[in-house]
Amino acid sequence: LRHLLQSNDRRAVDFALKYTTRHRPSDEQFADDVLHVLQTGDREHVSLSIQFLHRAMKDRRRLHDRLIDSYCRLNSNYSPLILDYLSSQEDLPPETLEGLTGILNQLPYFQIHLILRLLDKREFFSERVESDVAGLLDNPDFFIARRASEHLMKQQLGSETKRKLDAFRQQYRQRL
């Protein structure tokens, strides 16, 4: 099964992933191989991989960390599936939300927007989130920096972040 999960043949991966999901749904020994499929597969592979990992990995913190790590490597068309999964979790720990903001500087606009929207939906904000989002104000992509400023405007900020946000808004007041 490991050989098939790492194959370049889509049919072999399909077979191995479906077999593993049906017959060994809680077998954590395949987790690394399924994470590889998650990062390199197509939409159906990503969806099946998430389902398998949810059942197989008992340590939710470790699962969330691995999914966040994979989020950066995933095709941008499929990465929202990971956010859909995470947002469907009732008791999403603060560490997971902070982990998502820790990768913001590695992502394109749309993925950043989705993460910030999840934070808004969960009404979550912390010092670490503030620091990570404020770092986007220096992003060379104006649209990313503007999205970060919009998110920060809704929050109670520390004095340094407030100054940085005010300076950004003053500098780009013609474009906001």
Side-chain angles (χ1 to χ4, degrees), residues 76 84 109 143 167:
S76 61
D84 287 344
Y109 176 84
F143 297 102

Side-chain angles (χ1 to χ4, degrees), residues 102-116:
I103 61 169
L104 287 174
N105 62 350
Q106 303 170 45
L107 300 172
Y109 176 84
F110 185 64
Q111 281 71 15
I112 292 170
H113 169 72
L114 293 175
I115 290 171
L116 295 178

Side-chain angles (χ1 to χ4, degrees), residues 36-127:
H36 171 75
V37 172
L38 173 87
Q39 294 171 8
T40 60
D42 60 19
R43 187 174 194 82
E44 182 181 356
H45 291 156
V46 171
S47 182
L48 288 171
S49 296
I50 291 171
Q51 289 174 24
F52 172 80
L53 293 167
H54 175 76
R55 284 187 240 131
M57 295 181 75
K58 305 302 181 220
D59 180 356
R60 290 292 169 230
R61 175 69 193 263
R62 190 167 153 255
L63 169 62
H64 294 169
D65 288 346
R66 300 290 298 270
L67 288 174
I68 290 168
D69 184 54
S70 296
Y71 190 81
C72 294
R73 294 185 185 91
L74 205 55
N75 179 315
S76 61
N77 292 323
Y78 308 142
S79 58
L81 294 173
I82 290 178
L83 277 185
D84 287 344
Y85 167 76
L86 291 173
S87 64
S88 73
Q89 303 301 300
E90 295 278 329
D91 299 327
L92 199 60
E95 295 82 14
T96 299
L97 295 168
E98 289 176 342
L100 284 168
T101 63
I103 61 169
L104 287 174
N105 62 350
Q106 303 170 45
L107 300 172
Y109 176 84
F110 185 64
Q111 281 71 15
I112 292 170
H113 169 72
L114 293 175
I115 290 171
L116 295 178
R117 194 170 71 180
L118 174 62
L119 293 173
D120 285 341
K121 181 180 170 189
R122 295 286 174 127
E123 297 178 356
F124 181 78
F125 197 70
S126 68
E127 287 182 19

